[in-house]
Amino acid sequence: MQTNLVQQFANDPEGQEAEEILRACVHCGFCTATCPTYQELNDERDGPRGRIYLMKMFLEGGEVTEKTREHLDRCLTCRSCETTCPSGVKYGRLVDISRGLMEKELPRKPQEKWLRWALTRFLPDRRLFGLMLRLGQAFRPVLPEKLRTKVPPRRHASPWPSSSHSRVVLALAGCVQPSAAPNTNAAAARVLDKLGVTMVEAPEAGCCGAVNYHLSEHERGLEQMRRNIDAWWPAIEAGAEAIIMTASGCGAMVQDYGHLLKDDPVYANKARKVSELCTDLGAFLLKEDLEPLKASAQAGKVAFHCPCTLQHAMKQNGVVEQVLTKAGIDLAATKDKHLCCGSAGTYSITQPQMSQKLLDNKLKALTVDNPVRIVTANIGCQLHLESKADVPVNHWIELLDR
């Protein structure tokens, strides 16, 4: 694709990166076949190829309107198009860059500004989110049904293992998961303990930076990344062999620390090391002897939903399924595995109508084989699916913990 960026962006490092990505696109349109929003709306501007043209127009100095941004906002950034693209277009990175630059050029309406400000201040703050969630859970019985489904029931974590081993891995507690699904990391720690591996959390580490970064608060997101690197670094220097991700949304972000901080004179080398150590829990377990985790007979089939961040961003499609099968879990058949459930970080809040449509589609696809339970690998997907599912929804590691 030929490009002619205006000087403002041509001289900007992010603009130059965007131009390189744009030039890789060959207009083939294969991406439209796997784009969830294009499949629903049949509008070229709501598919990857059309959005690429909109971003190109913006970077070349063309007029950008609220309508232009509406089509970009409707993008889930699920990155299914990247898996399909024969030219290797880094679409997710292009969207992050373009949205960030456009945010400076085209101010949002006050109500949109307020919502995005609230999301970037409340969600990444583990303590504040936990307090708000507990309040919501306390009043859950009297909330209107539409709001009640958004508040997950109160959950408790089982004890972490007390033993320690020579093999040590790090984990990220994150921001939402400790309050909404506190047993996830505890279950992972117990499973790893059975395999002779100690999993530890760094208390100072918090949000991975994804919420802020994907909502165009790039500098705030980068600061959160630096904070996590500082929190993990002593353990990395002490020999921690991996940084285990139990939420693939965080994993997709942490694996990009090296790229996003490559020009930071203080953090570039550390960020690269962190990204090298970042691995999904499923990928880590697949290399281990899973015989100690062999499950007894299961009461029915379990449907696995592979999050977009796991299959399209972390490129781990099929890995968790292999782990569950080796552990003796009976997996149910599902359909349209490549399509997003509609959670997509904050998308279910900023684009509720499309999000709910995609959720309905995904639940139908996950229950064609009448599973007794749905499991997934990302807290956002877990909470989103749970809000409408007729069967329990858990993180998959809880199956192995049993």
Side-chain angles (χ1 to χ4, degrees), residues 216-227:
S216 301
E217 291 266 10
H218 288 183
E219 281 307 314
R220 288 180 65 87
L222 292 173
E223 277 305 311
Q224 290 169 327
M225 297 174 201
R226 294 184 185 104
R227 180 203 58 211

Side-chain angles (χ1 to χ4, degrees), residues 42-84:
N42 293 309
D43 187 329
E44 180 75 11
R45 296 165 298 178
D46 284 307
R49 182 171 61 181
R51 291 185 179 117
I52 284 174
Y53 275 104
L54 293 175
M55 289 183 279
K56 177 177 181 288
M57 178 185 70
F58 163 65
L59 294 168
E60 290 183 334
E63 182 185 5
V64 176
T65 66
E66 287 291 339
K67 191 67 177 173
T68 305
R69 183 154 58 193
E70 180 183 350
H71 293 296
L72 293 185
D73 283 349
R74 269 206 291 257
C75 174
L76 294 139
T77 326
C78 67
R79 296 169 66 174
S80 180
C81 54
E82 290 187 17
T83 299
T84 312

Side-chain angles (χ1 to χ4, degrees), residues 96-313:
D96 274 340
I97 292 172
S98 300
R99 284 171 170 169
L101 294 173
M102 194 175 294
E103 208 72 18
K104 300 173 185 176
E105 301 296 316
L106 185 65
R108 288 185 178 270
K109 297 174 183 177
Q111 62 268 33
E112 289 183 10
K113 273 188 176 181
W114 183 89
L115 175 61
R116 296 165 79 87
W117 179 88
L119 290 172
T120 57
R121 268 56 177 183
F122 289 101
L123 285 181
D125 189 320
R126 185 190 311 167
R127 293 176 181 82
L128 187 55
F129 175 82
L131 175 62
M132 293 175 62
L133 180 59
R134 286 192 293 274
L135 285 173
Q137 289 167 337
F139 290 98
R140 192 172 187 266
V142 297
L143 292 175
E145 183 179 0
K146 193 172 183 180
L147 187 57
R148 186 167 63 248
T149 59
K150 300 289 186 183
V151 180
R154 189 80 179 265
R155 294 185 174 95
H156 301 280
S158 298
W160 279 54
S162 56
S163 55
S164 61
H165 308 277
S166 58
R167 296 179 66 189
V168 177
V169 296
L170 287 164
L172 177 65
C175 46
V176 171
Q177 189 165 279
S179 300
N183 194 48
T184 297
N185 274 10
R190 287 192 298 272
V191 168
L192 289 168
D193 180 63
K194 293 176 186 175
L195 303 178
V197 180
T198 298
M199 188 176 95
V200 295
E201 293 177 345
E204 300 83 5
C207 178
C208 65
V211 172
N212 279 283
Y213 200 86
H214 293 319
L215 286 176
S216 301
E217 291 266 10
H218 288 183
E219 281 307 314
R220 288 180 65 87
L222 292 173
E223 277 305 311
Q224 290 169 327
M225 297 174 201
R226 294 184 185 104
R227 180 203 58 211
N228 289 343
I229 292 170
D230 287 340
W232 287 327
W233 200 249
I236 292 173
E237 288 187 313
E241 64 178 271
I243 303 174
I244 300 293
M245 291 293 146
T246 56
S248 60
C250 299
M253 188 88 265
V254 175
Q255 74 174 10
D256 284 345
Y257 278 17
H259 177 73
L260 296 173
L261 291 168
K262 69 182 188 304
D263 297 322
D264 188 310
V266 177
Y267 286 89
N269 291 333
K270 290 182 178 181
R272 183 169 62 250
K273 180 65 174 178
V274 164
S275 290
E276 289 171 357
L277 290 174
C278 173
T279 183
D280 181 71
L281 176 61
F284 185 87
L285 288 179
L286 192 59
K287 298 176 183 177
E288 304 294 316
D289 177 13
L290 301 183
E291 193 59 34
L293 305 179
K294 202 80 174 180
S296 57
Q298 296 291 309
K301 296 181 178 180
V302 176
F304 176 66
H305 164 62
C306 188
C308 299
T309 43
L310 187 61
Q311 60 177 312
H312 303 309

